Amino acid sequence: KEEDPEQATTSDGMNLLLSRPILMCLAFFTLISLASVGINSFLISALNILHGVTISDATLALTGYMVGTTIGILLGGFVADRTRHHNVVAAICFVITGIMITIVGAVHLPTLAIITLMSVQGVMHGLIMPSRDMIVRSVTPIGSTGKVFGFVSTGFSVGGMIAPLIFGSILDHSTPDMMFYAMAAIMAVSVVSVFTSGRR
């Protein structure tokens, strides 16, 4: 009995989406979303509770992070054009961001230093974005770009749903510094996902 071409195509598509490189890209997107939503939603409260930073200054730190992210995305596009090692770029940025977020949580710093660190973190986070897309592209067969990007992009929604539960619970039941350590742990796991998703 001949195999139905449409059924074969569907089967091949599912096998592709459930392959390890694509699932790791999905995890990569989810982790990025976890960190982003955590910072965007809870940074102000965490800084205010942990370090006594005023709401206005904590808001300025978040603004610096968001502006830095925009700048980082622009710079990341130029970096992505000039390297084939996109996973290395992403990993370096994750490591730097993880170190910085740990410092913010562990050390009582002047407000200006906190704002500066968060702004630099934003740049590092933005630098990851173009390399992130190139990593997905490197493991996507020709003709499957749409469905692969559609699939891995659901990681943003998954991370967006989980992050408030995780970080909200941490702020309610633990010390605020644990929120920063949890973000650093997410960065560390992200480094692993970067190298397991990228194709040599």
mmCIF file of all heavy atoms in Angstrom, residues 73-119:
data_model
loop_
_atom_site.group_PDB
_atom_site.id
_atom_site.type_symbol
_atom_site.label_atom_id
_atom_site.label_comp_id
_atom_site.label_asym_id
_atom_site.label_seq_id
_atom_site.Cartn_x
_atom_site.Cartn_y
_atom_site.Cartn_z
ATOM 1 N N ILE A 73 20.005 44.953 20.489
ATOM 2 C CA ILE A 73 19.459 44.279 19.303
ATOM 3 C C ILE A 73 20.071 44.858 18.027
ATOM 4 O O ILE A 73 20.446 44.123 17.104
ATOM 5 C CB ILE A 73 17.927 44.397 19.276
ATOM 6 C CG1 ILE A 73 17.304 43.588 20.413
ATOM 7 C CG2 ILE A 73 17.372 43.913 17.934
ATOM 8 C CD1 ILE A 73 15.810 43.782 20.574
ATOM 9 N N LEU A 74 20.186 46.182 17.984
ATOM 10 C CA LEU A 74 20.793 46.833 16.811
ATOM 11 C C LEU A 74 22.253 46.413 16.647
ATOM 12 O O LEU A 74 22.693 46.064 15.543
ATOM 13 C CB LEU A 74 20.693 48.348 16.949
ATOM 14 C CG LEU A 74 19.277 48.944 16.910
ATOM 15 C CD1 LEU A 74 19.317 50.437 17.206
ATOM 16 C CD2 LEU A 74 18.627 48.698 15.550
ATOM 17 N N LEU A 75 22.994 46.422 17.746
ATOM 18 C CA LEU A 75 24.396 46.003 17.689
ATOM 19 C C LEU A 75 24.517 44.524 17.374
ATOM 20 O O LEU A 75 25.419 44.105 16.633
ATOM 21 C CB LEU A 75 25.087 46.308 19.029
ATOM 22 C CG LEU A 75 25.210 47.784 19.421
ATOM 23 C CD1 LEU A 75 25.819 47.900 20.817
ATOM 24 C CD2 LEU A 75 26.043 48.547 18.408
ATOM 25 N N GLY A 76 23.583 43.740 17.931
ATOM 26 C CA GLY A 76 23.617 42.296 17.709
ATOM 27 C C GLY A 76 23.437 41.913 16.257
ATOM 28 O O GLY A 76 23.961 40.888 15.808
ATOM 29 N N GLY A 77 22.698 42.738 15.509
ATOM 30 C CA GLY A 77 22.541 42.474 14.085
ATOM 31 C C GLY A 77 23.872 42.556 13.346
ATOM 32 O O GLY A 77 24.177 41.709 12.500
ATOM 33 N N PHE A 78 24.687 43.555 13.695
ATOM 34 C CA PHE A 78 26.012 43.687 13.074
ATOM 35 C C PHE A 78 26.923 42.536 13.495
ATOM 36 O O PHE A 78 27.681 42.008 12.688
ATOM 37 C CB PHE A 78 26.648 45.029 13.468
ATOM 38 C CG PHE A 78 25.971 46.222 12.865
ATOM 39 C CD1 PHE A 78 25.054 46.959 13.594
ATOM 40 C CD2 PHE A 78 26.244 46.608 11.555
ATOM 41 C CE1 PHE A 78 24.419 48.068 13.034
ATOM 42 C CE2 PHE A 78 25.617 47.707 10.990
ATOM 43 C CZ PHE A 78 24.695 48.436 11.729
ATOM 44 N N VAL A 79 26.837 42.151 14.763
ATOM 45 C CA VAL A 79 27.652 41.037 15.252
ATOM 46 C C VAL A 79 27.265 39.744 14.542
ATOM 47 O O VAL A 79 28.122 38.966 14.123
ATOM 48 C CB VAL A 79 27.488 40.879 16.779
ATOM 49 C CG1 VAL A 79 28.216 39.622 17.268
ATOM 50 C CG2 VAL A 79 28.028 42.105 17.513
ATOM 51 N N ALA A 80 25.954 39.513 14.399
ATOM 52 C CA ALA A 80 25.477 38.286 13.759
ATOM 53 C C ALA A 80 25.934 38.189 12.307
ATOM 54 O O ALA A 80 26.154 37.087 11.787
ATOM 55 C CB ALA A 80 23.951 38.212 13.841
ATOM 56 N N ASP A 81 26.086 39.340 11.647
ATOM 57 C CA ASP A 81 26.547 39.347 10.259
ATOM 58 C C ASP A 81 28.024 39.007 10.128
ATOM 59 O O ASP A 81 28.482 38.598 9.057
ATOM 60 C CB ASP A 81 26.311 40.729 9.630
ATOM 61 C CG ASP A 81 24.863 40.933 9.225
ATOM 62 O OD1 ASP A 81 24.137 39.928 9.106
ATOM 63 O OD2 ASP A 81 24.463 42.097 9.039
ATOM 64 N N ARG A 82 28.755 39.167 11.223
ATOM 65 C CA ARG A 82 30.212 39.041 11.160
ATOM 66 C C ARG A 82 30.755 37.789 11.827
ATOM 67 O O ARG A 82 31.966 37.653 12.000
ATOM 68 C CB ARG A 82 30.850 40.292 11.775
ATOM 69 C CG ARG A 82 30.710 41.517 10.886
ATOM 70 C CD ARG A 82 30.999 42.812 11.624
ATOM 71 N NE ARG A 82 31.022 43.967 10.717
ATOM 72 C CZ ARG A 82 29.948 44.519 10.182
ATOM 73 N NH1 ARG A 82 28.750 44.029 10.447
ATOM 74 N NH2 ARG A 82 30.061 45.560 9.381
ATOM 75 N N THR A 83 29.887 36.888 12.229
ATOM 76 C CA THR A 83 30.353 35.653 12.859
ATOM 77 C C THR A 83 29.452 34.490 12.481
ATOM 78 O O THR A 83 28.276 34.676 12.169
ATOM 79 C CB THR A 83 30.376 35.804 14.396
ATOM 80 O OG1 THR A 83 30.894 34.587 14.965
ATOM 81 C CG2 THR A 83 28.982 36.039 14.947
ATOM 82 N N ARG A 84 30.034 33.294 12.513
ATOM 83 C CA ARG A 84 29.249 32.080 12.315
ATOM 84 C C ARG A 84 29.005 31.391 13.656
ATOM 85 O O ARG A 84 28.223 30.451 13.734
ATOM 86 C CB ARG A 84 30.004 31.128 11.382
ATOM 87 C CG ARG A 84 30.184 31.674 9.967
ATOM 88 C CD ARG A 84 31.075 30.770 9.161
ATOM 89 N NE ARG A 84 30.574 29.395 9.124
ATOM 90 C CZ ARG A 84 31.292 28.360 8.660
ATOM 91 N NH1 ARG A 84 32.524 28.555 8.233
ATOM 92 N NH2 ARG A 84 30.766 27.158 8.649
ATOM 93 N N HIS A 85 29.657 31.868 14.686
ATOM 94 C CA HIS A 85 29.561 31.232 15.999
ATOM 95 C C HIS A 85 28.511 31.946 16.847
ATOM 96 O O HIS A 85 28.817 32.564 17.868
ATOM 97 C CB HIS A 85 30.925 31.245 16.679
ATOM 98 C CG HIS A 85 32.010 30.617 15.866
ATOM 99 N ND1 HIS A 85 32.070 29.256 15.635
ATOM 100 C CD2 HIS A 85 33.059 31.167 15.208
ATOM 101 C CE1 HIS A 85 33.123 28.984 14.868
ATOM 102 N NE2 HIS A 85 33.737 30.120 14.596
ATOM 103 N N HIS A 86 27.272 31.846 16.421
ATOM 104 C CA HIS A 86 26.194 32.561 17.105
ATOM 105 C C HIS A 86 25.949 32.018 18.509
ATOM 106 O O HIS A 86 25.575 32.771 19.412
ATOM 107 C CB HIS A 86 24.914 32.481 16.261
ATOM 108 C CG HIS A 86 25.098 32.969 14.864
ATOM 109 N ND1 HIS A 86 25.322 34.294 14.559
ATOM 110 C CD2 HIS A 86 25.127 32.304 13.673
ATOM 111 C CE1 HIS A 86 25.461 34.432 13.251
ATOM 112 N NE2 HIS A 86 25.348 33.242 12.694
ATOM 113 N N ASN A 87 26.168 30.720 18.685
ATOM 114 C CA ASN A 87 25.973 30.155 20.025
ATOM 115 C C ASN A 87 27.014 30.682 21.008
ATOM 116 O O ASN A 87 26.727 30.871 22.185
ATOM 117 C CB ASN A 87 25.984 28.624 19.982
ATOM 118 C CG ASN A 87 27.192 28.061 19.265
ATOM 119 O OD1 ASN A 87 28.034 28.789 18.751
ATOM 120 N ND2 ASN A 87 27.276 26.747 19.215
ATOM 121 N N VAL A 88 28.223 30.941 20.517
ATOM 122 C CA VAL A 88 29.270 31.499 21.391
ATOM 123 C C VAL A 88 28.902 32.927 21.813
ATOM 124 O O VAL A 88 29.058 33.297 22.972
ATOM 125 C CB VAL A 88 30.638 31.485 20.679
ATOM 126 C CG1 VAL A 88 31.694 32.179 21.540
ATOM 127 C CG2 VAL A 88 31.061 30.060 20.358
ATOM 128 N N VAL A 89 28.405 33.708 20.856
ATOM 129 C CA VAL A 89 27.976 35.075 21.169
ATOM 130 C C VAL A 89 26.894 35.066 22.231
ATOM 131 O O VAL A 89 26.958 35.796 23.231
ATOM 132 C CB VAL A 89 27.462 35.794 19.897
ATOM 133 C CG1 VAL A 89 26.859 37.157 20.252
ATOM 134 C CG2 VAL A 89 28.587 35.973 18.887
ATOM 135 N N ALA A 90 25.880 34.220 22.020
ATOM 136 C CA ALA A 90 24.771 34.138 22.979
ATOM 137 C C ALA A 90 25.264 33.664 24.341
ATOM 138 O O ALA A 90 24.864 34.199 25.385
ATOM 139 C CB ALA A 90 23.684 33.204 22.456
ATOM 140 N N ALA A 91 26.148 32.670 24.357
ATOM 141 C CA ALA A 91 26.643 32.131 25.625
ATOM 142 C C ALA A 91 27.428 33.178 26.406
ATOM 143 O O ALA A 91 27.262 33.317 27.626
ATOM 144 C CB ALA A 91 27.520 30.911 25.361
ATOM 145 N N ILE A 92 28.276 33.924 25.724
ATOM 146 C CA ILE A 92 29.058 34.974 26.392
ATOM 147 C C ILE A 92 28.129 36.015 27.007
ATOM 148 O O ILE A 92 28.319 36.450 28.151
ATOM 149 C CB ILE A 92 30.039 35.635 25.399
ATOM 150 C CG1 ILE A 92 31.150 34.650 25.018
ATOM 151 C CG2 ILE A 92 30.645 36.903 26.006
ATOM 152 C CD1 ILE A 92 32.055 35.156 23.917
ATOM 153 N N CYS A 93 27.114 36.410 26.259
ATOM 154 C CA CYS A 93 26.160 37.409 26.764
ATOM 155 C C CYS A 93 25.393 36.873 27.972
ATOM 156 O O CYS A 93 25.155 37.603 28.939
ATOM 157 C CB CYS A 93 25.190 37.815 25.655
ATOM 158 S SG CYS A 93 25.952 38.750 24.316
ATOM 159 N N PHE A 94 25.017 35.599 27.926
ATOM 160 C CA PHE A 94 24.314 35.001 29.061
ATOM 161 C C PHE A 94 25.196 34.969 30.306
ATOM 162 O O PHE A 94 24.732 35.245 31.416
ATOM 163 C CB PHE A 94 23.853 33.576 28.724
ATOM 164 C CG PHE A 94 22.543 33.514 28.004
ATOM 165 C CD1 PHE A 94 22.408 32.783 26.836
ATOM 166 C CD2 PHE A 94 21.428 34.167 28.499
ATOM 167 C CE1 PHE A 94 21.192 32.712 26.168
ATOM 168 C CE2 PHE A 94 20.201 34.110 27.843
ATOM 169 C CZ PHE A 94 20.095 33.374 26.680
ATOM 170 N N VAL A 95 26.466 34.619 30.124
ATOM 171 C CA VAL A 95 27.390 34.557 31.259
ATOM 172 C C VAL A 95 27.561 35.936 31.890
ATOM 173 O O VAL A 95 27.491 36.100 33.117
ATOM 174 C CB VAL A 95 28.749 33.988 30.826
ATOM 175 C CG1 VAL A 95 29.783 34.158 31.946
ATOM 176 C CG2 VAL A 95 28.621 32.512 30.457
ATOM 177 N N ILE A 96 27.782 36.947 31.043
ATOM 178 C CA ILE A 96 27.955 38.309 31.555
ATOM 179 C C ILE A 96 26.692 38.779 32.273
ATOM 180 O O ILE A 96 26.750 39.357 33.366
ATOM 181 C CB ILE A 96 28.304 39.276 30.405
ATOM 182 C CG1 ILE A 96 29.678 38.929 29.828
ATOM 183 C CG2 ILE A 96 28.296 40.730 30.897
ATOM 184 C CD1 ILE A 96 30.046 39.732 28.597
ATOM 185 N N THR A 97 25.538 38.521 31.667
ATOM 186 C CA THR A 97 24.275 38.918 32.279
ATOM 187 C C THR A 97 24.056 38.208 33.602
ATOM 188 O O THR A 97 23.602 38.813 34.582
ATOM 189 C CB THR A 97 23.105 38.616 31.328
ATOM 190 O OG1 THR A 97 23.335 39.267 30.074
ATOM 191 C CG2 THR A 97 21.786 39.109 31.900
ATOM 192 N N GLY A 98 24.386 36.912 33.653
ATOM 193 C CA GLY A 98 24.224 36.152 34.880
ATOM 194 C C GLY A 98 25.094 36.687 36.010
ATOM 195 O O GLY A 98 24.650 36.782 37.162
ATOM 196 N N ILE A 99 26.319 37.047 35.671
ATOM 197 C CA ILE A 99 27.226 37.616 36.681
ATOM 198 C C ILE A 99 26.694 38.948 37.193
ATOM 199 O O ILE A 99 26.668 39.210 38.407
ATOM 200 C CB ILE A 99 28.641 37.789 36.095
ATOM 201 C CG1 ILE A 99 29.271 36.416 35.813
ATOM 202 C CG2 ILE A 99 29.525 38.592 37.047
ATOM 203 C CD1 ILE A 99 30.586 36.492 35.060
ATOM 204 N N MET A 100 26.231 39.777 36.274
ATOM 205 C CA MET A 100 25.738 41.099 36.662
ATOM 206 C C MET A 100 24.480 41.017 37.517
ATOM 207 O O MET A 100 24.341 41.730 38.510
ATOM 208 C CB MET A 100 25.461 41.943 35.418
ATOM 209 C CG MET A 100 26.714 42.406 34.708
ATOM 210 S SD MET A 100 26.325 43.497 33.322
ATOM 211 C CE MET A 100 27.972 44.057 32.888
ATOM 212 N N ILE A 101 23.554 40.140 37.153
ATOM 213 C CA ILE A 101 22.307 40.033 37.919
ATOM 214 C C ILE A 101 22.593 39.461 39.307
ATOM 215 O O ILE A 101 21.918 39.798 40.286
ATOM 216 C CB ILE A 101 21.265 39.170 37.168
ATOM 217 C CG1 ILE A 101 19.845 39.483 37.654
ATOM 218 C CG2 ILE A 101 21.548 37.700 37.307
ATOM 219 C CD1 ILE A 101 19.321 40.805 37.230
ATOM 220 N N THR A 102 23.625 38.610 39.414
ATOM 221 C CA THR A 102 24.026 38.092 40.717
ATOM 222 C C THR A 102 24.595 39.207 41.591
ATOM 223 O O THR A 102 24.294 39.282 42.792
ATOM 224 C CB THR A 102 25.076 36.978 40.562
ATOM 225 O OG1 THR A 102 24.526 35.915 39.768
ATOM 226 C CG2 THR A 102 25.495 36.425 41.911
ATOM 227 N N ILE A 103 25.408 40.072 40.988
ATOM 228 C CA ILE A 103 25.984 41.201 41.733
ATOM 229 C C ILE A 103 24.883 42.119 42.245
ATOM 230 O O ILE A 103 24.909 42.566 43.397
ATOM 231 C CB ILE A 103 26.975 41.974 40.839
ATOM 232 C CG1 ILE A 103 28.205 41.119 40.540
ATOM 233 C CG2 ILE A 103 27.387 43.287 41.507
ATOM 234 C CD1 ILE A 103 29.163 41.742 39.534
ATOM 235 N N VAL A 104 23.901 42.400 41.390
ATOM 236 C CA VAL A 104 22.794 43.272 41.803
ATOM 237 C C VAL A 104 22.054 42.668 42.993
ATOM 238 O O VAL A 104 21.643 43.381 43.920
ATOM 239 C CB VAL A 104 21.819 43.514 40.629
ATOM 240 C CG1 VAL A 104 20.570 44.249 41.105
ATOM 241 C CG2 VAL A 104 22.502 44.322 39.531
ATOM 242 N N GLY A 105 21.901 41.355 43.005
ATOM 243 C CA GLY A 105 21.187 40.712 44.090
ATOM 244 C C GLY A 105 22.006 40.541 45.358
ATOM 245 O O GLY A 105 21.461 40.551 46.462
ATOM 246 N N ALA A 106 23.330 40.393 45.202
ATOM 247 C CA ALA A 106 24.168 40.043 46.352
ATOM 248 C C ALA A 106 24.852 41.236 47.005
ATOM 249 O O ALA A 106 25.197 41.178 48.188
ATOM 250 C CB ALA A 106 25.227 39.023 45.925
ATOM 251 N N VAL A 107 25.064 42.310 46.269
ATOM 252 C CA VAL A 107 25.858 43.430 46.774
ATOM 253 C C VAL A 107 24.977 44.669 46.901
ATOM 254 O O VAL A 107 24.197 44.983 45.992
ATOM 255 C CB VAL A 107 27.047 43.732 45.834
ATOM 256 C CG1 VAL A 107 27.893 44.858 46.410
ATOM 257 C CG2 VAL A 107 27.892 42.475 45.612
ATOM 258 N N HIS A 108 25.107 45.343 48.018
ATOM 259 C CA HIS A 108 24.369 46.599 48.222
ATOM 260 C C HIS A 108 25.123 47.723 47.516
ATOM 261 O O HIS A 108 26.128 48.232 48.023
ATOM 262 C CB HIS A 108 24.225 46.901 49.710
ATOM 263 C CG HIS A 108 23.305 48.054 49.990
ATOM 264 N ND1 HIS A 108 21.935 47.977 49.818
ATOM 265 C CD2 HIS A 108 23.561 49.324 50.409
ATOM 266 C CE1 HIS A 108 21.381 49.143 50.133
ATOM 267 N NE2 HIS A 108 22.356 49.974 50.494
ATOM 268 N N LEU A 109 24.654 48.089 46.349
ATOM 269 C CA LEU A 109 25.343 49.048 45.494
ATOM 270 C C LEU A 109 24.653 50.400 45.517
ATOM 271 O O LEU A 109 23.449 50.501 45.805
ATOM 272 C CB LEU A 109 25.357 48.533 44.045
ATOM 273 C CG LEU A 109 26.096 47.215 43.793
ATOM 274 C CD1 LEU A 109 25.777 46.720 42.392
ATOM 275 C CD2 LEU A 109 27.593 47.397 43.971
ATOM 276 N N PRO A 110 25.396 51.470 45.174
ATOM 277 C CA PRO A 110 24.749 52.774 44.992
ATOM 278 C C PRO A 110 23.722 52.695 43.867
ATOM 279 O O PRO A 110 23.850 51.875 42.942
ATOM 280 C CB PRO A 110 25.920 53.688 44.614
ATOM 281 C CG PRO A 110 27.144 52.996 45.101
ATOM 282 C CD PRO A 110 26.856 51.528 44.995
ATOM 283 N N THR A 111 22.735 53.541 43.931
ATOM 284 C CA THR A 111 21.657 53.509 42.933
ATOM 285 C C THR A 111 22.186 53.684 41.521
ATOM 286 O O THR A 111 21.747 52.993 40.586
ATOM 287 C CB THR A 111 20.629 54.613 43.243
ATOM 288 O OG1 THR A 111 20.078 54.394 44.543
ATOM 289 C CG2 THR A 111 19.505 54.602 42.220
ATOM 290 N N LEU A 112 23.145 54.594 41.341
ATOM 291 C CA LEU A 112 23.697 54.829 40.007
ATOM 292 C C LEU A 112 24.363 53.571 39.465
ATOM 293 O O LEU A 112 24.250 53.262 38.273
ATOM 294 C CB LEU A 112 24.699 55.987 40.043
ATOM 295 C CG LEU A 112 25.342 56.355 38.697
ATOM 296 C CD1 LEU A 112 24.277 56.740 37.677
ATOM 297 C CD2 LEU A 112 26.358 57.491 38.877
ATOM 298 N N ALA A 113 25.045 52.822 40.332
ATOM 299 C CA ALA A 113 25.698 51.590 39.900
ATOM 300 C C ALA A 113 24.661 50.548 39.481
ATOM 301 O O ALA A 113 24.857 49.820 38.501
ATOM 302 C CB ALA A 113 26.578 51.043 41.022
ATOM 303 N N ILE A 114 23.552 50.470 40.214
ATOM 304 C CA ILE A 114 22.491 49.529 39.865
ATOM 305 C C ILE A 114 21.893 49.879 38.509
ATOM 306 O O ILE A 114 21.684 49.006 37.655
ATOM 307 C CB ILE A 114 21.398 49.525 40.952
ATOM 308 C CG1 ILE A 114 21.936 48.932 42.256
ATOM 309 C CG2 ILE A 114 20.172 48.731 40.478
ATOM 310 C CD1 ILE A 114 20.960 49.000 43.406
ATOM 311 N N ILE A 115 21.633 51.165 38.304
ATOM 312 C CA ILE A 115 21.074 51.612 37.019
ATOM 313 C C ILE A 115 22.035 51.276 35.881
ATOM 314 O O ILE A 115 21.627 50.802 34.811
ATOM 315 C CB ILE A 115 20.777 53.128 37.061
ATOM 316 C CG1 ILE A 115 19.657 53.414 38.073
ATOM 317 C CG2 ILE A 115 20.399 53.645 35.675
ATOM 318 C CD1 ILE A 115 19.420 54.888 38.318
ATOM 319 N N THR A 116 23.332 51.497 36.115
ATOM 320 C CA THR A 116 24.341 51.220 35.088
ATOM 321 C C THR A 116 24.409 49.727 34.777
ATOM 322 O O THR A 116 24.432 49.324 33.607
ATOM 323 C CB THR A 116 25.725 51.717 35.551
ATOM 324 O OG1 THR A 116 25.665 53.115 35.811
ATOM 325 C CG2 THR A 116 26.776 51.450 34.481
ATOM 326 N N LEU A 117 24.434 48.906 35.824
ATOM 327 C CA LEU A 117 24.498 47.463 35.621
ATOM 328 C C LEU A 117 23.277 46.953 34.865
ATOM 329 O O LEU A 117 23.395 46.119 33.953
ATOM 330 C CB LEU A 117 24.611 46.743 36.965
ATOM 331 C CG LEU A 117 26.003 46.666 37.601
ATOM 332 C CD1 LEU A 117 25.911 46.045 38.979
ATOM 333 C CD2 LEU A 117 26.955 45.869 36.721
ATOM 334 N N MET A 118 22.107 47.446 35.223
ATOM 335 C CA MET A 118 20.891 46.997 34.542
ATOM 336 C C MET A 118 20.883 47.452 33.087
ATOM 337 O O MET A 118 20.389 46.724 32.205
ATOM 338 C CB MET A 118 19.652 47.510 35.273
ATOM 339 C CG MET A 118 19.417 46.899 36.651
ATOM 340 S SD MET A 118 19.431 45.081 36.669
ATOM 341 C CE MET A 118 18.181 44.691 35.440
ATOM 342 N N SER A 119 21.413 48.616 32.812
ATOM 343 C CA SER A 119 21.482 49.103 31.429
ATOM 344 C C SER A 119 22.416 48.231 30.592
ATOM 345 O O SER A 119 22.099 47.876 29.449
ATOM 346 C CB SER A 119 21.953 50.561 31.403
ATOM 347 O OG SER A 119 21.057 51.399 32.109
#
